[in-house]
Amino acid sequence: MSPSSAPRARTTVFAPRLAALIGDHLGQDLFRLEPDTIGVAGHEVADRILAARRATETERPTFKPLHGRSITRTEASTVTRTIGNDVRDALAAPVPQDVDLTGSWPLTGHLFLRDLILGQDPRRLRMLMSRTLELTPKLTWSVIAIGAALPGWPRPDDRLTGLASRTARAQGYQERRYAMGMYRRAAAPVCFTVSTLVANALWLGSPFDAGTSNRNIILESLRLLPPSWNILRNASPEYPAVDARIGERDDVLLLPLLSHRDPALWDDPDSFRPERWDGLDPDGTPGYLPFGHSSERCWGRHMVMPLAELLLDLVRGAGLVVDPGQRVGKVPLLGLLGVEDVRLTRSR
């Protein structure tokens, strides 16, 4: 099977509401989604909205209040640097040679990244990386409550990651609960996002031409299936001034899912073409917002790209392919956009 024919044999099925967004609003710059919500897909309007003000604490996806306690930008910056250092340490270590990456993705990739970055941390902390906890916030907080109450709280140690050592310094039950919540907030999105992104890339384009760079594959996957497919901004007086179609009580939902497929911005927008990034700057391409706007980039982007390239390199080096028998990939309506089950097997 040639590299070009394999992806065409697969069908990506979006959840009904996502399919309706694409079918009804592709190519529109601004439209009403709900009585109190405006959708924005036009890159010029989106640029002005995102530049009008910084995200509030409740709009920040990772560092919104935790247990009703605000997370300052200083603390967010410190935690970001800590997990960033842990990722750099993991990337600098020898790459495991005996890892089996066959099976269902993104789960398989998520477990590999968890162990790669956080493998030496105590079990009560690594449990916070379970994708099962995504089912309900109550389950997450139950696990945290139990973990904070159990005896044998870890002590700061050189063998732990920086993030775990930071967590281990918490004193008292309430501070331990908060510290465990921050551990999950900082580490889980990295593993969730990278594993989903690589699974999407494999579904959209594998098997890849040997000369195609991992960087271009990842950038193109971020275009067609951006894990962060929407950016919410709550109603704010700045927005009616940006565009009179936005009311003073309207929330605004910016939609990279649509701007990344806008035929006015992209040649052959529905096709997976990694080579387009040979001549494009991802930080300066209009309408391309996988890591947010230039006024406030995603805190984790410098971790996501190298981890995704490493993981994709391991998959390609092992000769793994999407199961030829899998022809349909479903994309559910979740906060993290991705194909829910990509089955990897060894090529024959």
Side-chain angles (χ1 to χ4, degrees), residues 101-117:
L101 294 174
T102 59
S104 177
W105 280 65
L107 178 60
T108 299
H110 170 77
L111 295 176
F112 169 80
L113 291 171
R114 179 201 64 187
D115 294 342
L116 179 73
I117 302 168

Side-chain angles (χ1 to χ4, degrees), residues 1 9-10 321-327 343 345-348:
M1 184 176 289
R10 303 180 195 127
V321 297
V322 176
D323 185 343
Q326 184 179 3
R327 300 299 177 88
R343 298 190 295 275
T345 63
R346 299 192 182 280
S347 58
R348 298 176 181 175

